């Protein structure tokens, strides 16, 4: 009698465990899909940003470490400077319409030590370099996992940037203006 | 992964054996994570779960076969990890497409000439003192690599549109010749070997790849017509096709002969009912070929409808996951390769499940990861290894897993 009861419990337990497994997989799957659509920002743990390149857009998000002084300097720069305009982004610390003046070689990546840091899980620690050469800039992928996309093509070698080029890094698309 | 380990529970001896593949897989996962943790995180646990079920239910039907299956699983996991690390970049695999296609043909041809007969079918190739394997299974992976590489290269040529709305401008013979040569010789060998189940599987793979590469529904329509013609021809030419079909349509005509297996399968499923008879409660000795062909029936009897649906869900999840890798992959070859592997997996599962449930005629094919068959297990693990490599190299993933 008791053994029979035990067996019955065991029988349902087996199937129940199977479904628990399936439920866990489902949950992970849904989580994956949710992350893929809208990379979740990790607030709080992020160290303070110190952008060497300054933002000069009106609608920059409220970033506590945003140096206002530098932003003013940016406004004073000559108009013929090269710029990176954010066309589209899901990075938590960036918004579309922001633009950055380029005055020297910069690094772009997820970590805060970069000149331009993108709070985006699809971006590698140091993802891309934009290297100044004379009066122009060169785009160079820094062994990033998800690649740097230049005008729709993932780049292997250096690419010289010219006006209107689109650069995609993670979920962010920049337009290069010169 | 812990869930896999937790997922077995009943007669303790079987459960313990069932845990072994989970343990081996866990070691493999830890090993892979030590090197690089960026890859798909769901495929391996799902396949591991199927392996656990496989060992539990094989032990329950035939303990000797279960031991051999366990060895095959361990070899399979080992080879999968080796393949995963060996491929530095999945995209470089595209270079070997002709080699893969030709070696698939060579393997199949060699089997036709020097193959070993087991149970009246010459599907086995044996390297003396080393291994005996089912060449059709190996050919599946090689063919997937070939088709993906070919379709990625010749996409434009295959898909040129004609003037009319539906008409396709026939691609130049030069671009098509290697493809058709390999496809036709492959199908011819299967038909020649009377391995029609595998022939259907490959046909489905070819058609899917054609469609995926070109995006033209006309190929699909043409394929259905071709399939109907092929089936009618096979029905006329090969007596065993007629036997299979009549045993499917009317098993009661000969309940102790050709109708025996489908009828027993139905009885077993019926005994299982909705909640199942309980693990090992009823005997399955009168179910022929339970381990290779009918493992799903054993599960259906023991775990009932509820358990079988769980297994079906796992298969569905693996397929969905593989197709979503194909969808997300940034490289055309990698994407097509993932799609090809997913198609083989899904189609094979569909054909065997339909056969077991008597929805379509039964063909002697293995249920991926579940049924007894050394080559099948190893090859399925290798396919997963390729999928993992695709996910590692070509699928954008969150930088941090959590």
């Amino acid at each position: 009698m008791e053994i029979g009861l035990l067996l019955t419990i065991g029988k349902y337990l087996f199937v129940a465990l199977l479904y628990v497994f399936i439920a866990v997989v489902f949950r992970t799957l849904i989580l994956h899909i949710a992350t893929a659509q809208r990379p979740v920002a990790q607030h709080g743990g992020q160290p303070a940003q110190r952008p060497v390149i300054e933002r000069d857009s009106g609608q920059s998000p409220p970033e506590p470490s945003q140096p206002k002084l530098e932003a003013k300097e940016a406004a004073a720069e000559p108009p013929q400077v090269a710029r990176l305009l954010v066309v589209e982004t899901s990075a938590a610390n960036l918004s579309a319409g922001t633009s950055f003046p380029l005055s020297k070689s910069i690094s772009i990546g997820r970590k805060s030590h970069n000149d331009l840091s993108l709070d985006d899980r699809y971006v590698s620690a140091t993802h891309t370099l934009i290297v100044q050469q004379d009066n122009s800039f060169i785009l160079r992928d820094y062994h990033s996992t998800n690649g740097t996309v230049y005008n729709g093509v993932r780049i292997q070698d250096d690419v010289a940037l010219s006006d209107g080029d689109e650069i995609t890094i993670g979920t962010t698309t920049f337009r290069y203006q010169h | 992964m812990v869930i896999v380990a937790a997922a077995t529970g009943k007669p303790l001896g079987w459960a313990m054996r069932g845990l072994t593949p989970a343990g081996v897989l866990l070691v493999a996962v830890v090993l892979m994570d030590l090197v690089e943790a960026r890859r798909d995180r769901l495929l391996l646990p799902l396949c591991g779960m199927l392996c656990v079920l496989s060992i539990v239910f094989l032990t329950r039907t035939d303990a000797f076969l279960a031991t051999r299956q366990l060895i095959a699983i361990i070899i399979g996991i080992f080879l999968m990890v080796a393949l995963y690390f060996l491929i530095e970049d999945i995209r470089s695999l595209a270079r070997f497409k002709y080699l893969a296609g030709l070696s698939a043909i060579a393997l199949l041809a060699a089997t036709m000439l020097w193959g070993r007969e087991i149970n009246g079918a010459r599907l086995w190739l044996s390297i003396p003192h080393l291994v005996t394997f089912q060449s059709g299974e190996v050919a599946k992976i090689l063919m997937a690599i070939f088709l993906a590489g070919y379709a990625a290269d010749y996409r434009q040529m295959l898909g040129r549109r004609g003037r009319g709305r539906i008409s396709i401008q026939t691609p130049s013979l030069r671009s098509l010749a290697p493809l058709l040569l390999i496809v036709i010789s492959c199908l011819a060998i299967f038909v020649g070997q009377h391995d029609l189940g595998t022939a259907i599987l490959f046909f489905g793979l070819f058609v899917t790849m054609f469609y995926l590469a070109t995006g033209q529904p006309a190929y699909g329509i043409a394929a259905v017509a071709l399939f109907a013609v092929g089936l009618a021809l096979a029905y006329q030419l090969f007596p065993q096709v007629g036997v299979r079909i009549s045993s499917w349509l009317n098993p009661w005509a000969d309940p102790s002969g050709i109708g025996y297996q489908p009828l027993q399968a139905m009885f077993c499923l019926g005994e299982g009912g909705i909640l199942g008879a309980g693990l090992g409660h009823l005997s399955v000795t009168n179910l022929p070929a339970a381990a290779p062909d009918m493992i799903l029936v054993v599960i259906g009897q023991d775990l009932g409808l509820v358990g079988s649906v769980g297994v079906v869900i796992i298969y569905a999840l693996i397929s969905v996951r593989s197709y979503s890798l194909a969808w997300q992959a940034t490289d055309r070859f990698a994407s097509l390769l993932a799609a090809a592997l997913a198609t083989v997996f899904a189609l094979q599962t569909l054909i065997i499940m339909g056969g077991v449930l008597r929805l379509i005629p039964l063909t002697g094919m293995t249920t991926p990861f579940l049924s007894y068959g050394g080559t099948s297990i190893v090859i399925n693990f290798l396919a997963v290894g390729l999928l993992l490599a695709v996910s590692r190299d070509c699928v954008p993933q969150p930088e941090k897993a959590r």
Side-chain angles (χ1 to χ4, degrees):
Chain A
M1 186 64 199
E2 266 196 9
I3 286 187
L5 187 70
L6 219 63
L7 281 179
T8 316
I9 293 173
K11 170 179 137 187
Y12 293 127
L13 202 66
F14 194 93
V15 178
L17 280 173
L18 187 68
Y19 275 91
V20 167
F21 171 77
I22 290 171
V24 170
V25 171
F26 254 110
R27 210 183 63 105
T28 320
L29 200 65
I30 288 166
L31 221 71
H32 269 239
I33 291 167
T35 355
Q37 278 170 349
R38 177 177 46 80
V40 180
Q42 293 155 325
H43 283 295
Q46 197 80 358
Q49 310 256 318
R50 57 179 171 78
V52 172
I53 327 174
E54 4 2 353
R55 283 155 220 275
D56 52 359
S57 136
Q59 43 164 298
S60 64
E63 199 70 39
S65 56
Q66 178 89 29
K68 282 176 187 163
L69 234 162
E70 288 182 45
K72 264 184 194 168
E73 278 172 28
E77 269 179 282
Q80 264 305 56
V81 76
R83 287 176 174 281
L84 278 182
L85 172 74
V86 180
V87 181
E88 193 187 342
T89 186
S90 317
N93 62 343
L94 220 59
S95 61
T98 319
S99 87
F100 303 97
L102 284 173
S103 52
K104 63 181 191 68
S105 301
I106 59 159
S107 66
I108 303 175
R110 194 185 68 254
K111 289 282 172 65
S112 57
H113 65 70
N114 294 292
D115 300 316
L116 174 53
S117 89
L118 304 173
D119 188 1
D120 176 350
R121 302 216 291 173
Y122 289 80
V123 173
S124 298
T126 299
H127 198 110
T128 306
L129 302 179
I130 295 182
V131 183
Q132 184 173 30
Q133 269 190 3
D134 303 329
N135 213 6
S136 62
F137 287 91
I138 284 170
L139 183 67
R140 178 179 301 162
D141 184 60
Y142 196 72
H143 312 297
S144 67
T145 356
N146 294 331
T148 302
V149 177
Y150 168 78
N151 288 341
V153 187
R154 183 170 175 166
I155 61 168
Q156 306 292 338
D157 303 312
D158 292 2
V159 176
L161 290 171
S162 54
D163 188 39
D165 285 346
E166 297 215 325
I167 305 161
T168 304
I169 296 165
T171 62
T172 307
T173 301
F174 296 100
R175 185 174 298 131
Y176 177 79
Q177 296 172 321
H178 199 104
Chain B
M1 293 313 298
V2 187
I3 297 102
V4 177
T8 35
K10 237 211 75 186
L12 235 58
W14 303 350
M16 285 303 132
R17 283 187 76 160
L19 288 182
T20 331
V24 176
L25 204 58
L26 194 65
V27 172
V29 166
V30 169
L31 195 74
M32 286 157 106
D33 277 358
L34 280 181
V35 179
E36 168 84 88
R38 279 176 42 84
R39 55 157 199 281
D40 187 274
R41 312 294 303 180
L42 286 178
L43 278 174
L44 273 184
L46 285 166
C47 300
M49 187 67 184
L50 289 177
C51 286
V52 169
L53 289 174
S54 166
I55 292 297
V56 170
F57 283 93
L58 281 179
T59 314
R60 173 235 192 297
T61 31
D62 188 337
F64 172 68
L65 292 185
T67 314
R68 298 193 50 167
Q69 179 86 340
L70 193 57
I71 295 169
I73 289 176
I74 292 169
I75 294 175
I77 293 175
F78 179 77
L79 288 179
M80 174 192 72
V81 174
L83 182 75
Y84 177 78
F85 285 132
L86 210 65
I87 301 175
E88 275 182 7
D89 190 333
I90 189 80
R91 281 160 283 197
S92 62
L93 217 60
R95 275 182 295 155
F96 302 115
K97 57 178 181 288
Y98 287 112
L99 190 65
L102 289 176
S103 47
I105 295 296
L107 264 179
L108 294 173
T111 315
M112 199 157 80
L113 294 175
W114 306 296
R116 221 216 240 175
E117 266 193 46
I118 300 179
N119 298 336
R122 188 179 277 193
L123 308 173
W124 301 79
L125 198 61
S126 124
I127 299 170
H129 312 298
L130 204 62
V131 282
T132 305
F133 58 93
Q134 215 168 348
S135 53
E137 296 278 340
V138 183
K140 278 196 303 207
I141 279 203
L142 293 172
M143 219 33 138
I145 296 173
F146 166 71
L147 286 172
Y150 196 89
D153 273 8
Y154 290 90
R155 188 165 174 265
Q156 283 85 8
M157 279 182 238
L158 294 172
R160 268 189 309 191
R161 263 188 185 282
R163 290 227 183 105
R165 202 169 268 176
I166 320 166
S167 75
I168 325 162
Q169 190 185 340
T170 37
S172 74
L173 200 64
R174 261 188 73 184
S175 69
L176 262 185
L179 180 67
L180 287 181
L181 206 70
I182 290 189
V183 166
I184 290 174
S185 51
C186 183
L187 287 177
I189 289 173
F190 283 127
V191 172
Q193 281 180 305
H194 300 201
D195 188 4
L196 294 172
T198 317
I200 290 175
L201 180 66
F202 273 71
F203 184 72
L205 174 65
F206 296 143
V207 173
T208 314
M209 292 311 283
F210 252 74
Y211 176 67
L212 285 178
T214 60
Q216 293 194 359
Y219 281 115
I221 298 164
V224 172
L226 212 64
F227 182 70
V229 172
L231 203 64
L233 267 178
Y235 190 79
Q236 297 293 326
L237 286 177
F238 305 109
Q240 75 267 39
V241 176
V243 169
R244 290 275 187 185
I245 288 180
S246 65
S247 81
W248 163 57
L249 285 177
N250 193 6
W252 285 109
D254 187 7
S256 56
I258 56 163
Y260 186 69
Q261 196 184 19
L263 281 178
Q264 289 299 326
M266 280 164 68
F267 293 155
C268 284
L269 285 174
E271 277 165 351
I274 293 199
L275 289 173
L279 194 51
H281 201 66
L282 297 170
S283 156
V284 285
T285 40
N286 53 359
L287 185 65
D293 292 351
M294 289 289 188
I295 195 80
L296 280 169
V297 173
V298 181
I299 294 180
Q301 180 188 292
D302 284 358
L303 302 183
L305 178 71
V306 182
S308 326
V309 168
V311 173
V312 174
I313 293 177
I314 293 181
Y315 277 115
L317 283 173
I318 295 180
S319 310
V320 165
R321 197 67 193 155
S322 312
Y323 276 119
S324 86
L325 285 181
W327 170 251
Q328 290 174 305
T330 47
D331 179 77
R332 181 172 293 152
F333 167 73
S335 170
L336 286 168
L337 179 63
L341 295 172
T343 304
V344 169
F345 182 86
L347 211 58
Q348 190 173 348
T349 314
L350 216 63
I351 291 175
I352 189 71
M353 278 182 179
V356 162
L357 294 175
R358 228 166 67 82
L359 295 170
I360 55 173
L362 185 64
T363 48
M365 247 193 288
T366 54
T367 323
F369 289 113
L370 212 53
S371 63
Y372 172 72
T375 319
S376 161
I377 286 282
V378 170
I379 287 303
N380 280 317
F381 266 116
L382 288 182
V384 170
L386 288 178
L387 283 172
L388 289 180
V390 168
S391 78
R392 174 192 60 188
D393 295 333
C394 297
V395 175
Q397 287 186 16
E399 274 290 321
K400 285 174 193 160
R402 59 206 55 147

